[in-house]
Amino acid sequence: MPFDASSRARDEWKKIYGPSGDMVRKACKPASLVVLLAYEDKQLTAESCKDFGNIMAENPNVEEVNLSKNNFGAAGTALGDMLATNKRISKLHVNECGFDDKVLAAFAAGIAKNTTLQELNMAGNKFTAAGFTAFLKVTAANTRLTTLNISNNNFGKDSDECIVFANAYLASSNLTTINFSGNAFGEKASTVLAKNLSKNKSLTSINFSNNAIGDEGCAAFIDLVKNSQKITSLALNKNGLGASDNATDLIEALIASTTLKIVDVADNDFEAETAKLFIKYINTNAIVESLDISGNEFGEDLASEFVTALTKTKTLKDIDVTECELGEDAEEELEDLDNCDVAT
């Protein structure tokens, strides 16, 4: 029997709004209601999208909506009008929704008129350059936005668009958390973005993993780490930083940081020559609380020093040294530490 997404959606609304399915607005007015529609790999019909739009437009209480992993297709345009009129939604998740440019344009127009949205997740939608342009309008118009996830899109295919994005992004000084990971920006765009991100005084969390940032990009992030007064979380994993001429300077900058509490530099091809610097980081930095250096093959030569440092640390609450090739003896000792993740 074919999957009837519209019928399934109505069943969900009945669970939320009562057995009659008429939303029972007077009887059901929680201060916050999380709506989850995550029908993975199922295509919601135009009718169900319209149903959703009507419900959201009429109910003023829903603050967080998750419509991720629904392949809306052309039916997704119905969400634009809903967002334009809704005055309550503060968190919206629409990652992996298969938006095309037409849907994204309608979607962007709706968000541009929304005055309450603070957190937006649009990861994994593989926007084209035209769709990306529409997205810029969203970030420029919504001044309340503080959390933005646009990871795993195709922005990196056009460096000029990336540079434009950097400037448009800086127009919103209220963003505190961004996730730009998996966008294949490359060295040029990564450098421009990092330089502009360092000028933003509100950011506290940056995820820039898996973007092939290169030597110049690495240098730009070194400056960001050195100059940051508020950033507490930084992810630069899967950027091949071990091969960068600036790898040592980056780790030294991390060691000297007085703000970074969460650092992820996993899977960067760091090898034995940088192991001593990471040991120094563990021994001397009193700020970092979570450190992921997994997937870097440091080898066994300094394994005992890693064990000593991790055993003595008073500040690190979580460290991941999985697949660091420290040897069986060291890994067995580290397994006994509550704050350490290690391959068995």
Side-chain angles (χ1 to χ4, degrees), residues 42-156:
K42 306 297 184 182
Q43 186 171 349
L44 291 180
T45 64
E47 183 180 1
S48 63
C49 283
K50 184 178 180 180
D51 288 344
F52 175 78
N54 290 337
I55 290 171
M56 290 300 298
E58 295 183 31
N59 187 288
N61 301 305
V62 178
E63 293 184 350
E64 182 170 357
V65 178
N66 189 337
L67 294 173
S68 299
K69 297 183 179 179
N70 284 294
N71 186 20
F72 289 118
T77 55
L79 298 176
D81 291 339
M82 179 274 293
L83 288 169
T85 57
N86 185 279
K87 304 301 181 183
R88 187 69 173 182
I89 292 177
S90 61
K91 298 179 181 180
L92 179 62
H93 310 276
V94 286
N95 55 304
E96 299 180 45
C97 284
F99 288 143
D100 59 16
D101 290 350
K102 182 178 179 180
V103 171
L104 185 60
F107 198 82
I111 294 178
K113 296 178 182 179
N114 186 290
T115 59
T116 60
L117 193 65
Q118 297 178 32
E119 182 175 324
L120 177 62
N121 181 352
M122 301 185 79
N125 276 297
K126 311 301 181 185
F127 303 142
T128 66
F132 181 61
T133 301
F135 178 73
L136 296 183
K137 297 177 182 178
V138 176
T139 59
N142 195 306
T143 58
R144 288 179 60 87
L145 204 63
T146 59
T147 299
L148 177 62
N149 183 347
I150 56 166
S151 60
N152 299 316
N153 285 286
N154 285 332
F155 301 136

Side-chain angles (χ1 to χ4, degrees), residues 6 24 57 64 89 102 106 109 117 131 139 178 185 203 205 213 233 246 266-267 269 284 287 315 319 326 342:
S6 181
V24 196
E64 182 170 357
I89 292 177
K102 182 178 179 180
L117 193 65
T139 59
I178 60 169
F185 284 124
L203 280 171
S205 177
I213 68 175
S233 177
N246 299 311
D267 299 305
D269 300 320
T284 62
I287 304 298
T315 57
I319 182 164
L326 299 177
V342 61

Side-chain angles (χ1 to χ4, degrees), residues 266-279:
D267 299 305
N268 267 306
D269 300 320
F270 290 121
E271 297 181 346
E273 58 269 22
T274 57
K276 185 165 289 188
L277 284 175
F278 281 110
I279 293 170

Side-chain angles (χ1 to χ4, degrees), residues 71-274:
N71 186 20
F72 289 118
T77 55
L79 298 176
D81 291 339
M82 179 274 293
L83 288 169
T85 57
N86 185 279
K87 304 301 181 183
R88 187 69 173 182
I89 292 177
S90 61
K91 298 179 181 180
L92 179 62
H93 310 276
V94 286
N95 55 304
E96 299 180 45
C97 284
F99 288 143
D100 59 16
D101 290 350
K102 182 178 179 180
V103 171
L104 185 60
F107 198 82
I111 294 178
K113 296 178 182 179
N114 186 290
T115 59
T116 60
L117 193 65
Q118 297 178 32
E119 182 175 324
L120 177 62
N121 181 352
M122 301 185 79
N125 276 297
K126 311 301 181 185
F127 303 142
T128 66
F132 181 61
T133 301
F135 178 73
L136 296 183
K137 297 177 182 178
V138 176
T139 59
N142 195 306
T143 58
R144 288 179 60 87
L145 204 63
T146 59
T147 299
L148 177 62
N149 183 347
I150 56 166
S151 60
N152 299 316
N153 285 286
N154 285 332
F155 301 136
K157 290 185 175 180
D158 190 333
S159 293
D160 291 339
E161 291 286 348
C162 293
I163 293 172
V164 170
F165 171 75
N167 294 328
Y169 163 79
L170 288 174
S172 175
S173 61
N174 296 322
L175 285 170
T176 61
T177 302
I178 60 169
N179 187 341
F180 290 175
S181 64
N183 281 314
F185 284 124
E187 187 169 22
K188 179 181 177 182
S190 295
T191 302
V192 172
L193 283 166
K195 288 180 178 179
N196 285 324
L197 292 175
S198 67
K199 299 175 184 177
N200 188 294
K201 303 305 180 182
S202 63
L203 280 171
T204 60
S205 177
I206 298 175
N207 187 336
F208 211 86
S209 61
N210 197 20
N211 277 308
I213 68 175
D215 288 338
E216 292 186 13
C218 183
F221 272 102
I222 290 171
D223 290 338
L224 182 149
V225 171
K226 288 181 177 179
N227 298 322
S228 169
Q229 300 298 316
K230 296 188 70 175
I231 296 175
T232 59
S233 177
L234 178 64
L236 292 174
N237 50 303
K238 297 183 179 180
N239 273 303
L241 297 176
S244 172
D245 294 337
N246 299 311
T248 297
D249 290 339
L250 174 64
I251 304 171
E252 291 284 9
L254 295 175
I255 292 171
S257 172
T258 59
T259 63
L260 285 172
K261 295 183 178 182
I262 302 172
V263 175
D264 186 348
V265 287
D267 299 305
N268 267 306
D269 300 320
F270 290 121
E271 297 181 346
E273 58 269 22
T274 57

